[in-house]
Amino acid sequence: MSHRKFEAPRRGSLGFIPRKRSKRFRGKVKSFPRDDPSVAPHLTAFIGYKAGMTHVVRDVERPGSKLHKKETVEAVTVIEAPPMVVVGIVGYIETPKGLRSLKTVWASHLSQEVLRRFYKNWYKSKRKAFTNYTKKVAADKEWFEAQLKKIKKYATVVRVLAHTQISKIGLRAKKAHLMEIQVNGGSIAEKVDYGVSLFEKQVPLEGVFKEGEMIDTIAVTKGYGYEGVTTRWGTTRLPRKTHKGLRKVACIGSWHPSRVQSTVPRAGQRGFHHRTEINKKIYRIGKGNDTKNATTEFDITEKQITPMGGFPHYGVVSEDFLVLKGCVPGPKKRPITLRKTLLAQTKRSALEPVNLKFIDTSSKFGHGRFQTSDEKNKFMGARKVASK
């Protein structure tokens, strides 16, 4: 019997295998919050786009802690989230194999950015999607109402179809991201009426979430391509004089079972994985047209959330946004699905009131010294203007 020279725990979690590329680009909600019929109907998810990160200073309200009544600096993520547009409603019925869609009812008019989602090549297509459906709804209102009645009668779960307004942010993409958002609260009939009342209307971010709330983020992580075992799994490097390289796994298994087991670290894809992260606290929900959306009670400088020079690899945040504590999966510009929490929040950190004293808007491209361009001009004085 052979023995190992050094004892070591296994490297890398097996809870995330297989580590392969995600099939989808946008994060998918696989579980919505539990429904409570006693509250009013409301939406449970939203989509935003990751702009970048900054830091904030806030007072800690945690009696008994050494940080109580003291300032702390925390990293935050800024997610730009223009209002979403509701364009349809879906009713599901429960079966022994899970939910099955019963009926899907669409709005009469769909914008071009969501119609692009139904085509692989918009430029070469005839762009006839939903033209017949629109004519049918206009000619036969009774048929439209009959579809809704069927959902009210048989469905047990109601979700609305909503899409982002991707044209409102400075991305090259033109296709809107479309998703199903579950309607919770009220009876089935109330859910359907609520969903239909939102048809072709804009739903703002503050209509779904509020400041101080704990939410979950669902996204696809940043991709790094094909990586070796040391980077991918964190295995220990072999001794310096090892033949044929040292960033390897020395023994990939015993003689029997005569195969390489799935638990053995191997080279392969790292990143671009679908991940759900829970319990992210909303520190601020801001309006894009507010010239003081990064101003606080203690920092009265008139400034917006976009740092000097813009967010690197993103640009200017001109629409509604939210500031989340900590980091979020994915690179800049990636769509981030935001979902209401599945858990009853009881921890002090979740219930603690948020009192921001300062939001940093200095340049994120280098060592930023100034919060606004006015501040920089006052400090630097008159400068030579390049002649045209």
Side-chain angles (χ1 to χ4, degrees), residues 10-11 14 17 233 260-265:
R10 76 148 289 110
R11 300 295 182 175
L14 295 179
I17 57 173
W233 292 96
V260 179
Q261 293 183 294
S262 62
T263 57
V264 177

Side-chain angles (χ1 to χ4, degrees), residues 55-299:
H55 67 266
V56 299
V57 177
R58 71 178 184 93
D59 277 336
V60 178
E61 291 287 335
R62 206 173 298 163
S65 169
K66 290 183 178 180
L67 272 177
H68 183 53
K69 298 292 185 184
K70 293 182 180 177
E71 289 183 351
T72 183
V73 180
E74 291 176 334
V76 294
T77 303
V78 178
I79 297 176
E80 189 172 12
M84 295 184 72
V85 180
V86 176
V87 291
I89 193 167
V90 190
Y92 286 89
I93 56 175
E94 290 179 357
T95 70
K97 294 182 179 179
L99 293 177
R100 179 177 69 82
S101 63
L102 174 71
K103 287 289 177 185
T104 303
V105 178
W106 295 87
S108 299
H109 302 94
L110 275 66
S111 65
Q112 189 187 102
E113 53 189 351
V114 70
L115 289 176
R116 283 175 178 268
R117 179 54 59 186
F118 302 105
Y119 289 94
K120 189 76 173 177
N121 191 327
W122 176 256
Y123 175 71
K124 290 183 178 179
S125 68
K126 295 183 179 178
R127 308 176 189 181
K128 302 286 284 181
F130 288 93
T131 52
N132 291 337
Y133 183 87
T134 304
K135 291 175 185 176
K136 186 173 184 179
V137 171
D140 193 356
K141 292 286 185 184
E142 292 181 1
W143 175 84
F144 182 81
E145 294 296 331
Q147 304 301 304
L148 295 177
K149 282 183 180 178
K150 194 166 282 189
I151 295 176
K152 290 179 182 179
K153 185 175 180 181
Y154 297 108
T156 54
V157 173
V158 176
R159 295 175 183 171
V160 296
L161 287 152
H163 70 84
T164 60
Q165 298 186 79
I166 201 165
S167 59
K168 288 196 169 186
I169 58 179
L171 301 184
R172 290 178 60 190
K174 297 179 182 178
K175 279 185 187 180
H177 289 95
L178 181 68
M179 76 170 293
E180 287 184 3
I181 302 175
Q182 188 158 307
V183 180
N184 280 0
S187 64
I188 296 297
E190 289 172 338
K191 292 185 208 295
V192 174
D193 292 336
Y194 173 75
V196 174
S197 70
L198 296 176
F199 272 16
E200 301 176 34
K201 292 181 181 175
Q202 296 186 9
V203 179
L205 179 66
E206 58 187 9
V208 181
F209 301 116
K210 60 180 184 296
E211 285 187 11
E213 188 177 353
M214 298 289 272
I215 64 172
D216 305 335
T217 60
I218 307 166
V220 175
T221 62
K222 186 188 291 187
Y224 294 95
Y226 195 95
E227 292 274 23
V229 285
T230 304
T231 302
R232 192 183 187 214
W233 292 96
T235 56
T236 306
R237 295 194 317 161
L238 300 178
R240 182 185 63 82
K241 296 179 72 174
T242 308
H243 183 52
K244 290 188 176 178
L246 48 79
R247 296 172 65 89
K248 296 174 179 290
V249 173
C251 176
I252 60 171
S254 56
W255 192 328
H256 291 289
S258 55
R259 60 185 176 276
V260 179
Q261 293 183 294
S262 62
T263 57
V264 177
R266 307 288 274 165
Q269 174 70 29
R270 182 169 82 92
F272 206 77
H273 306 310
H274 188 272
R275 294 289 181 263
T276 301
E277 294 189 1
I278 66 172
N279 295 346
K280 306 282 186 183
K281 192 160 191 173
I282 299 177
Y283 275 1
R284 171 164 290 196
I285 294 178
K287 285 284 188 184
N289 55 8
D290 184 6
T291 57
K292 299 181 179 180
N293 57 28
T295 302
T296 66
E297 188 181 345
F298 297 89
D299 176 27

Side-chain angles (χ1 to χ4, degrees), residues 1-4 254-256:
M1 291 289 289
S2 63
H3 67 280
R4 66 182 305 151
S254 56
W255 192 328
H256 291 289

Side-chain angles (χ1 to χ4, degrees), residues 342-356:
L342 304 183
L343 313 169
Q345 298 295 337
T346 56
K347 287 190 175 181
R348 282 202 303 172
S349 59
L351 304 176
E352 177 186 349
V354 179
N355 183 22
L356 297 184

